Each structure stands twice: as structure tokens, then as C-alpha cells.
Amino acid sequence: MKKLVVANFKMNLTSSEIKKYVMALAPKFKSDKVDLSLALPFVSLESGKFLLSGSDISLTAQNISEEECGSLTGEVSGAMLKDIGVQRVIVGHSERRTRFKETGKSINKKIKIALKNRLQVVLCVGESLIDKNSMKSQAAITAQVDEALKGLYENELENIIIAYEPVWAIGTGKTASVKEIEEGIKVVRKAIETAFSKKAATEVRVLYGGSITAKNISQVVGVAGLDGVLVGGSCLDVATLIYIISVCEAGAKK
Ligand code: PGA
């Protein structure tokens, strides 16, 4: 299976800046070993779609409303995302859990809405520094997986990708070690096995995210059982993202 690289722009770059970025990136990307998806801000998704037509790069949204439609000022629905050609959506990112107080219940509703609209989900889970220091990482990750996927059928997991993102590693410059990433992936798969089945646990795609850089990508990509990466800050520079992709391609050959 190809490795997946999701580039999370967060609230960075204007649509004009993204236009320049995409025009520099798209002609340089062609790969039979890596799937690339750009998680652009909402306002750049439609123009991004236009600029990416003819390329192999897909689009990911950074958020989705937990409701279908209606009087919800400022929200963006699953149907709206699907309509403009978005392929998947990030749900449960730690910045949304902490800064916007998103709960397990609302994450679960967002996932169900996304699936209903035939959007794939990149579900982010990961322990905080407090969890880590109090040896509660496993419990925290397991609870996040359980709450998020409650009520889903096993066959729906083919549209769920789980990103293990230790909160203490996001935007901090502190990447988890190979051992820590392996352990996090193991906990994610164990949670899936308990909630669904061994088969589901083996088949679910798991990414790592948290301070990935050009320097540490070769170490990260070598982690056993890793299906790809979620890149934040480092994706803002086209050359760095291209380099990260090239290392993932080399890793995919193994
Ligand atoms: P970072 O962000 O690479 O800047 O740590 C990753 C993420 O938030 O998904």
C-alpha cells in the first residue's frame, strides 16, 4: 500500500500564497509510492481543487460541522466539502480538542457526518504531556479511539485513517522517538482490536504526526507498521515537503 502524506497547513498562508505554493508543487509531484493530500484552510479548498486538477494530489479539509446543515453560522458541512471535491477531513486534532473544547462525543458525530457524506476521516489521537508523565498514555489514546469510533461498523474503518499525534510533539520541535511511535501505533491497533477485531487492527491505516522535519523524516518513516505521516509546520515550505515525500517514497520501497 502507498504511504500517505497529509500536509496540514493549519491557519497559515492566504489563498494567494497557496496558489503560488500549489503551482510550485503540483508539477513536481508524481509518485506511485506516495499519496499526497493537502489539508488547506476552508477558503482555499475550492481554488486548490481547480489548481490541482490534472495532478495526483488530493484535498483534505481541516474540520467539518457535526451537523448536517442549517442555521449554524460559520460552520461548514460535509455536503459542502464533498461538493467541491474534498476527499477527506481531519477530525479530533489536538488543537481543536484543546483550543476549541471538542469532546469525544462531538468528534464521534463529526466522523459519522463525514462518512455519511463519503469523506474519509483522518482521526487524530494522542496523549498529552500530563498523560505521558503520569504513565497514562495508553489509557488516553484508547479512550480517544473508543469515543471517536463508537457506533461505527467495522467495514466503515476502511475510510478511517488514524494519526497518532502525541500532543507534546505537535509544533514543539520534539519528535517522538522510534520506540515511542511504535508504542503509540501498537496502542492504537490494540484499541481497534478490542473495539472491532484483529483483522480491523491489522488493516487500519496509522500515520504519525508531530514535529516532522527534513532532518527526522528518515527515522520516522522507518517505524514498523507506519502507513504515512501528517506534517504540519514543515509542509509550509514546498522544497521541504518535496524532500519529506522523497524520503517516504524510499521508505515505501522496503
Ligand atoms: P507539526 O504539526 O508538524 O507542526 O508538529 C503536526 C500536526 O499538527 O498535525
Side-chain angles (χ1 to χ4, degrees), residues 55-108:
S55 85
D56 288 340
I57 305 171
S58 66
L59 282 177
T60 295
Q62 297 177 19
N63 192 15
I64 183 171
S65 173
E66 63 183 53
E67 304 296 342
E68 194 90 58
C69 64
S71 306
L72 292 155
T73 304
E75 288 289 275
V76 174
S77 75
M80 292 170 186
L81 296 174
K82 188 71 191 173
D83 180 60
I84 58 167
V86 168
Q87 189 182 341
R88 59 176 75 81
V89 58
I90 296 173
V91 178
H93 193 283
S94 70
E95 285 151 18
R96 297 216 59 87
R97 291 181 193 261
T98 53
R99 301 283 300 272
F100 301 97
K101 309 285 173 249
E102 284 190 10
T103 62
K105 208 169 165 188
S106 100
I107 289 163
N108 179 254

Side-chain angles (χ1 to χ4, degrees), residues 8 10 93-95 124 165 169-173 209-212 230-234:
N8 183 8
K10 309 191 181 188
H93 193 283
S94 70
E95 285 151 18
C124 300
E165 296 209 307
I170 297 175
T172 58
S211 294
I212 286 181
L230 182 45
V231 185
S234 293

Side-chain angles (χ1 to χ4, degrees), residues 129-222:
L129 191 57
I130 296 173
D131 295 328
K132 182 180 186 311
N133 291 341
S134 53
M135 314 295 276
K136 289 189 178 137
S137 300
Q138 187 172 344
I141 297 165
T142 305
Q144 287 171 16
V145 171
D146 285 351
E147 286 166 353
L149 304 182
K150 205 170 171 182
L152 260 64
Y153 295 107
E154 184 167 327
N155 65 0
E156 291 178 298
L157 292 188
E158 68 184 26
N159 288 313
I160 307 280
I161 297 153
I162 302 183
Y164 168 57
E165 296 209 307
V167 181
W168 50 268
I170 297 175
T172 58
K174 287 185 202 146
T175 322
S177 67
V178 167
K179 203 163 159 255
E180 285 167 330
I181 301 173
E182 278 173 359
E183 184 55 32
I185 295 176
K186 229 159 72 186
V187 173
V188 167
R189 293 200 192 274
K190 186 75 202 161
I192 296 290
E193 183 180 335
T194 309
F196 297 92
S197 71
K198 208 174 178 75
K199 182 173 178 283
T202 317
E203 288 177 358
V204 72
R205 278 177 290 168
V206 186
L207 315 181
Y208 168 78
S211 294
I212 286 181
T213 62
K215 274 202 181 129
N216 60 32
I217 184 63
S218 53
Q219 180 181 327
V220 171
V221 92

Side-chain angles (χ1 to χ4, degrees), residues 235-249:
C235 80
L236 298 175
D237 175 61
V238 178
T240 305
L241 182 64
I242 289 173
Y243 178 75
I244 288 172
I245 292 164
S246 70
V247 175
C248 290
E249 284 192 303

